[in-house]
């Protein structure tokens, strides 16, 4: 393996890691706040990309990528809140809320995917790149668009971290994630925070969809693979810390890039799952999770 090949593999892993981090943080936000897994998250990614395409593409409204991204983020935030009120809130007080949420979010994902198919059709589409052309770094030719994807993903993740750490709403969401009952006793409107968490998760999914749509082709089922990768990242990294899934995303991205080179695209998911199983056997709370001692 030449040095140039190694650098290209590492670059590919960083790009994948940035996308996976953006996908996983949205999924982890709902998981930590509500304690449920949102199976519609992958469809949120696809719908966000298609809304952006509808507004931005010259084949549709032609308003440009920046306007399309803004419309997609706002639209998906509203859709995410509606999904919470329609599919989650009616069953919130049920003892088997986890099971019911699996059924309702799977149903929501199926409905939304069919809506995408009906509105935009099954034909592949693609968003325009964030930046055009290539650039040379250490003698390697690198796509400017891929560099923009990594930079933008990192900026969004830093902004989300600051929101959760520095704002009153973000701190309230963290309080609800740590102890829902104590947060209610302190006067925090838990129901409103759940809706906001779902909205933010959907907005992050839209951002991930836009970045994916700018680097590869879009189709109505494009969210199924990102959903699986986001789940792997969240479990692999653990949810005790906000940074856990982010670190895990870059590890998974680099591992996938290396495995794709050595064993091929077909076998790389198998190796990925094998590594995840080994990690979970050694650390059930995740690679960056905190071990909780039983009382």
């Amino acid at each position: 393996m030449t040095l140039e090949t190694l650098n290209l593999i590492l670059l590919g892993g960083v790009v994948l890691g940035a996308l996976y981090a953006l996908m996983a943080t949205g999924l982890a936000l709902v998981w930590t706040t509500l304690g449920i897994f949102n199976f519609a998250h992958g469809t949120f990614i696809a719908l966000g990309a298609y809304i952006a395409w509808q507004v931005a593409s010259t084949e549709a409204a032609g308003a440009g990528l920046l306007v399309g991204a803004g419309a997609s983020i706002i639209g998906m935030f509203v859709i995410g809140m509606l999904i919470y009120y329609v599919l989650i809130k009616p069953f919130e007080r049920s003892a088997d809320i986890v099971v019911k949420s699996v059924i309702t979010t799977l149903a929501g994902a199926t409905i939304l995917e069919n809506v995408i198919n009906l509105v935009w059709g099954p034909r592949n589409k693609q968003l325009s790149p964030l930046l055009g052309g290539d650039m040379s770094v250490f003698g390697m030719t690198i796509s400017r668009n891929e560099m923009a994807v990594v930079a933008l993903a990192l900026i969004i993740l830093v902004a989300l971290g600051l929101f959760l750490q520095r704002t009153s709403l973000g701190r309230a969401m963290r309080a609800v994630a740590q102890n829902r009952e104590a947060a209610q006793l302190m006067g925090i409107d838990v129901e409103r925070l759940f809706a906001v968490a779902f909205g933010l998760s959907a907005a992050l999914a839209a951002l991930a969809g836009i970045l994916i749509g700018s680097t590869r082709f879009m189709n109505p089922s494009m969210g199924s693979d990102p959903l699986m990768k986001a789940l792997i990242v969240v479990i692999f990294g653990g949810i005790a810390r906000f940074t856990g899934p982010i670190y895990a995303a870059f590890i998974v991205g680099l591992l996938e890039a290396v495995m794709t080179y050595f064993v091929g695209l077909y076998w790389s998911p198998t190796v990925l799952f094998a590594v995840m199983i080994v990690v979970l056997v050694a650390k059930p709370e995740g690679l960056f999770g905190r071990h909780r001692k039983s009382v």
Side-chain angles (χ1 to χ4, degrees):
M1 181 192 297
T2 64
L3 181 60
E4 183 178 356
T5 301
L6 177 61
N7 288 334
L8 288 173
I9 291 172
L10 293 177
L11 175 63
V14 170
V15 174
L16 287 175
L19 289 173
Y20 292 166
L22 205 54
M23 299 171 198
T25 48
L27 186 64
L29 194 62
V30 169
W31 198 334
T32 54
T33 309
L34 280 81
I36 62 172
F37 181 74
N38 177 22
F39 278 93
H41 192 73
T43 316
F44 284 173
I45 292 172
L47 184 57
Y50 272 90
I51 292 174
W53 180 90
Q54 181 65 37
V55 177
S57 176
T58 53
E59 298 177 44
L65 185 59
L66 186 61
V67 178
S72 175
I73 292 165
I74 295 170
M76 288 306 301
F77 182 84
V78 174
I79 289 172
M81 293 184 73
L82 288 174
I83 290 292
Y84 164 74
Y85 283 115
V86 173
L87 299 182
I88 304 299
K89 187 180 181 302
F91 311 103
E92 199 174 276
R93 299 186 183 278
S94 301
D96 53 351
I97 175 62
V98 175
V99 176
K100 286 180 178 176
S101 66
V102 169
I103 297 170
T104 56
T105 55
L106 274 173
T110 304
I111 292 168
L112 288 176
E113 186 173 326
N114 280 288
V115 167
I116 294 171
N117 221 336
L118 285 171
V119 175
W120 288 285
R123 200 162 59 107
N124 286 342
K125 293 175 172 57
Q126 190 170 24
L127 288 164
S128 59
L130 305 178
L131 291 175
D134 298 322
M135 59 188 293
S136 180
V137 179
F138 301 117
M140 297 185 302
T141 302
I142 300 172
S143 166
R144 290 180 184 271
N145 186 55
E146 290 185 341
M147 291 295 95
V149 165
V150 174
L152 188 56
L154 291 176
I155 290 169
I156 293 165
L157 291 170
V158 170
L160 179 62
L162 291 174
F163 166 78
L164 292 173
Q165 295 283 342
R166 303 290 177 84
T167 67
S168 57
L169 182 59
R171 287 194 292 267
M173 291 177 68
R174 290 169 56 213
V176 171
Q178 290 173 9
N179 193 317
R180 185 182 306 184
E181 289 75 18
Q184 285 178 313
L185 290 173
M186 293 176 66
I188 294 175
D189 188 345
V190 174
E191 181 184 309
R192 180 174 69 93
L193 286 179
F194 285 168
V196 171
F198 240 88
L200 281 175
S201 175
L204 288 169
L207 283 164
I210 292 165
L211 296 184
I212 293 171
S214 71
T215 57
R216 61 191 73 170
F217 287 110
M218 300 157 38
N219 59 69
S221 60
M222 64 179 280
S224 57
D225 184 62
L227 177 67
M228 183 188 72
K229 295 296 172 56
L231 176 61
I232 290 173
V233 167
V234 171
I235 295 174
F236 187 76
I239 56 174
R241 302 172 183 171
F242 168 74
T243 52
I246 298 175
Y247 295 148
F250 283 97
I251 292 173
V252 169
L254 289 167
L255 183 62
E256 183 176 348
V258 171
M259 288 302 102
T260 300
Y261 177 80
F262 283 106
V263 301
L265 190 63
Y266 181 79
W267 284 102
S268 62
T270 304
V271 177
L272 203 59
F273 275 112
V275 172
M276 187 180 73
I277 290 169
V278 171
V279 169
L280 290 179
V281 168
K283 289 198 70 178
E285 67 277 9
L287 197 61
F288 302 101
R290 294 192 184 99
H291 177 65
R292 294 183 179 180
K293 295 180 181 180
S294 57
V295 180

